[in-house]
Every structure is written in structure tokens, then in C-alpha cells.
Amino acid sequence: MYRARIISTGSYLPEKILTNFDLEKIVETSDEWIRERTGIRERRIAAPEEAASDLALAASRDALKKAGLRPKELDLIIVATVSGDMLLPSTACILQNKLKIKGIPAFDINAACSGFIYALSVADSFIRSGTYSRILVVGTEVLSRFTDWQDRTTCVLLGDGAGAVVLEKTRKKQGILDVKIHADGSYWELLHIPAGGSRLQTSEKTLRERQHFIKMKGNETFKIAVRTLEKLVVDTLKNNKIKPEELSLLIPHQANHRIIAATANRLGISLEKVMLNLQKYGNTSAASIPIALDEAVKTNRIKEGDYILLEAFGGGLTWGSALIKW
Ligand code: UT7
């Protein structure tokens, strides 16, 4: 029986920093409000010439280098994103071309902030079934292009970045032990971009009405996120017969400090066992977990044999968790 093990991680954050104080000059907000309600202090913004595949390429090269692998040694590329380079083709195909390889399958997954967990789940299934042996999974977002800089309820939350992992098959009882994904489409309107797809064609009207930007009912999303994530983490550990105190690190999607604290509190674990970097990068949607995972690896917060729990919640609504033995 095969399992999928993360053999390396990588990340890329654009250079430009946008602080809460910068935002005070753009919309009616304050550093204090943003910090207290979200935990965010600053976020990164991609350069005008940088698209999702460029961020993905930098994160992928970082992960491949650490794994000591060349791109041609990969079997599959999966990219999780809601802010891909174009509607057509997939960002995964553009990334494949930038990695200077061809032939292997490459596709995108759209599950908003849960995208990375969805992508891990698909990669895990391919490895367990023996179909592929080595898979590159990337979360990349340039949300700043879909951010309404006149809407203070969303523009203070989002940021750009990318994270990547290389998964390899193993016969040991190590790696991804359990990954679960979920959705409830009845809540799709809570977090969406109305125009630009086949529902609402791009027109002068859609541009005028600012319909190409992310719309979120934050407070409703918040309440469902807390309720759902609390149950998700407890069930994931219980189903795998792991006690919260056996967990070395919780790596949550970085949306809101209060949501993360509520989840940790429900598990009865201290915030010291939680990976938090949203103060630096804001909510980078599908990129947030691989970026946080890479930072955890780089700062030696994970060692072999540790139990790590990844969890995410986002537009769709979607949610999911991955329990890993490192
Ligand atoms: O990524 C995965 C999915 N997304 C999430 O998980 C995000 C979930 N939601 C949240 O994180 C929070 O709901 C927010 C941070 C977005 C908002 O926090 P909240 O505590 O739910 O605030 P609220 O939306 O209830 O707004 C409270 C007040 C409102 O004013 P009134 O109506 O009380 O006068 C807002 O207009 O705060 C006001 N407000 C702001 N004030 C200053 C909203 N945005 C801002 C702002 N600066 N940027």
C-alpha cells in the first residue's frame, strides 16, 4: 500500500508590502480595526508584470530545489487557484511550460481558500492508487487583481503569494494519513466574483458596477467558518485516534486570527502549537497553507514523526483537512 509524503516545500511572496497604514490612505479604515478584527498587519502585492503562474513558478522552483529534483522528474502538476493567469488555459499548463517540460498532465483546482487541501486530496488519491509517484502541488493567488480597493470590507483582508509542495509515494506509514474535503454550494453567494464568467458577460455595465471584484458577506462566512472548522478538526483527530495533545502543529488557512484561535481553543491546544503568519501576508486563499507550511519547515517547527494537521475553509463554501505524519 502506498502513501503520499511531502518531501519538500517552497514559497514565494512578492516584494511589495502594503501595510494597514497604507490602507488607511485608500479606504476609511484603521490599523487598529484591521489588527483587532483579523490579526493582519500587512500583506504582499504582486508587481504589475507578475501573474499567478509567475508566483507559482518561483515557489515550485524553491520546492524542487529542496527536493533535489528536476522538473522532468515530475509525473503530474496540480495548481489550486481562483486568480489564475487567464480563464483559459489552466495556470497549471502555463506553469508546466515555464518549467520547460511537456507531456505530463497539468490541471487547476478551484476550491477557493480550501483549494490546497482539495489539490492534496486529489494528489493523495493518485499516489495511493499507484497512478503517479511524484506530484507537484501548488497554491498560488494574485488576489490583488480581483480586489475592490473601494470596498473596505474585503480589501483589507487579501494578499498575494504562492506555496508549493512535492509529494512522493512511500510504503511507510508516513505522510498524508487522512485527507477529507467537503462543500455546501447552497452558500455560494457568500463569497464570489459575479462577472467575467458565463453567468455575467463582461460589459461596460459590469465594469461600472464593479462586478469583477471579490464580494464577501464576511460576518456570515465567519460564523459558519468557526462552527464548521471546530467540528472538522475534532472529527479528524477522533477518526484517526489521535489526541489533541499528540498534535505537534496545527497549520490553518490564514483568514482571521479569531477563527484560528477559536479552532485551537476547541481542540484545547495553545496558540504556540499553531502556525500563524497572517499578520505578514493576510489571506492568500489557496496559497496560505503551503506558504505557512514552508515557513514552519524553514523555522524548524516540524520534525520527522510529528503529527501535523492542515485545515481550511473558503468560498463555495468548501472546507477540508489533512492529517500528516511528517
Ligand atoms: O478565506 C476564507 C473565507 N473568509 C473568511 O473566513 C473571512 C470571514 N470573515 C471575517 O474574517 C470577518 O467577518 C471580517 C474580518 C471580514 C469582518 O469582521 P466582523 O467582526 O465580522 O465585522 P462586521 O462585518 O460585522 O463589521 C463590523 C463593523 C461594521 O460597521 P457597523 O455596521 O457595525 O457600523 C462594518 O461596516 O465594522 C465595519 N467595517 C470596518 N471598519 C473599519 C468593516 N470593514 C471595516 C474596515 N475598517 N476595513
Side-chain angles (χ1 to χ4, degrees):
M1 181 197 170
Y2 296 121
R3 283 179 200 277
R5 191 169 76 89
I6 295 175
I7 59 160
S8 73
T9 62
S11 62
Y12 172 77
L13 279 310
E15 260 174 51
K16 187 181 167 188
I17 295 173
L18 187 74
T19 67
N20 291 350
F21 298 103
D22 296 328
L23 280 165
E24 284 181 355
K25 294 174 200 139
I26 302 173
V27 285
E28 202 185 320
T29 190
S30 67
D31 170 59
E32 193 189 358
W33 190 96
I34 303 170
R35 267 191 297 106
E36 281 178 5
R37 298 284 176 135
T38 71
I40 301 165
R41 289 172 183 270
E42 56 187 46
R43 68 287 290 142
R44 300 298 177 96
I45 303 293
E49 67 280 6
E50 281 180 323
S53 69
D54 301 304
L55 275 56
L57 177 67
S60 301
R61 280 191 177 142
D62 187 21
L64 285 165
K65 192 173 165 204
K66 286 180 198 149
L69 290 172
R70 281 167 299 169
K72 67 174 187 191
E73 292 173 277
L74 294 169
D75 298 334
L76 167 68
I77 299 172
I78 309 178
V79 172
T81 186
V82 289
S83 53
D85 290 28
M86 302 167 197
L87 272 179
L88 174 75
S90 70
T91 298
C93 283
I94 298 173
L95 173 64
Q96 187 210 52
N97 184 50
K98 289 189 167 164
L99 286 167
K100 300 192 174 63
I101 49 173
K102 41 177 91 170
I104 62 162
F107 60 87
D108 288 359
I109 283 185
N110 175 339
C113 303
S114 314
F116 184 74
I117 304 281
Y118 267 66
L120 268 192
S121 165
V122 174
D124 183 60
S125 301
F126 273 130
I127 287 180
R128 279 179 186 255
S129 67
T131 311
Y132 299 116
S133 305
R134 206 176 274 140
I135 304 178
L136 175 68
V137 175
V138 188
T140 182
E141 302 284 10
V142 183
L143 296 175
S144 59
R145 304 274 147 75
F146 302 91
T147 298
D148 186 345
W149 297 103
Q150 293 181 11
D151 176 9
R152 68 173 184 174
T153 68
T154 52
C155 76
V156 303
L157 307 171
L158 311 170
D160 301 338
V165 301
V166 177
L167 290 162
E168 207 170 66
K169 77 173 177 197
T170 177
R171 283 189 182 276
K172 293 187 195 157
K173 199 186 172 214
Q174 197 182 8
I176 300 176
L177 302 182
D178 185 25
V179 52
K180 292 276 176 347
I181 51 177
H182 312 266
D184 184 347
S186 67
Y187 289 112
W188 69 266
E189 267 180 295
L190 291 186
L191 188 38
H192 73 294
I193 300 174
S198 56
R199 175 66 53 201
L200 210 51
Q201 196 180 352
T202 307
S203 66
E204 281 180 20
K205 186 169 181 280
T206 60
L207 289 170
R208 203 169 48 243
E209 291 174 353
R210 313 184 72 75
Q211 303 271 36
H212 295 268
F213 296 123
I214 294 165
K215 316 274 177 204
M216 180 168 72
K217 294 200 173 88
N219 195 263
E220 270 179 73
T221 309
F222 182 96
K223 286 179 197 152
I224 304 170
V226 170
R227 208 167 55 224
T228 307
L229 288 172
E230 284 183 350
K231 182 171 167 14
L232 178 71
V233 291
V234 168
D235 288 353
T236 305
L237 292 190
K238 207 189 262 172
N239 293 342
N240 289 281
K241 299 187 175 56
I242 293 190
K243 298 189 197 87
E245 56 271 26
E246 289 178 82
L247 202 63
S248 296
L249 197 62
L250 177 69
I251 306 187
H253 165 52
Q254 310 282 311
N256 188 308
H257 186 277
R258 289 182 292 144
I259 297 177
I260 296 171
T263 315
N265 189 40
R266 179 70 183 80
L267 279 180
I269 61 168
S270 80
L271 279 178
E272 274 156 38
K273 279 192 168 186
V274 181
M275 189 61 211
L276 272 167
N277 64 5
L278 87 167
Q279 65 280 6
K280 295 187 285 186
Y281 308 131
N283 180 347
T284 57
S285 186
S288 92
I289 290 179
I291 292 171
L293 177 63
D294 186 46
E295 187 171 327
V297 171
K298 274 189 199 145
T299 53
N300 298 316
R301 291 188 68 175
I302 308 179
K303 57 181 190 312
E304 197 165 342
D306 280 355
Y307 286 113
I308 315 289
L309 182 61
L310 317 181
E311 46 94 340
F313 183 90
L317 293 173
T318 55
W319 60 99
S321 65
L323 180 68
I324 294 172
K325 187 172 181 196
W326 201 257

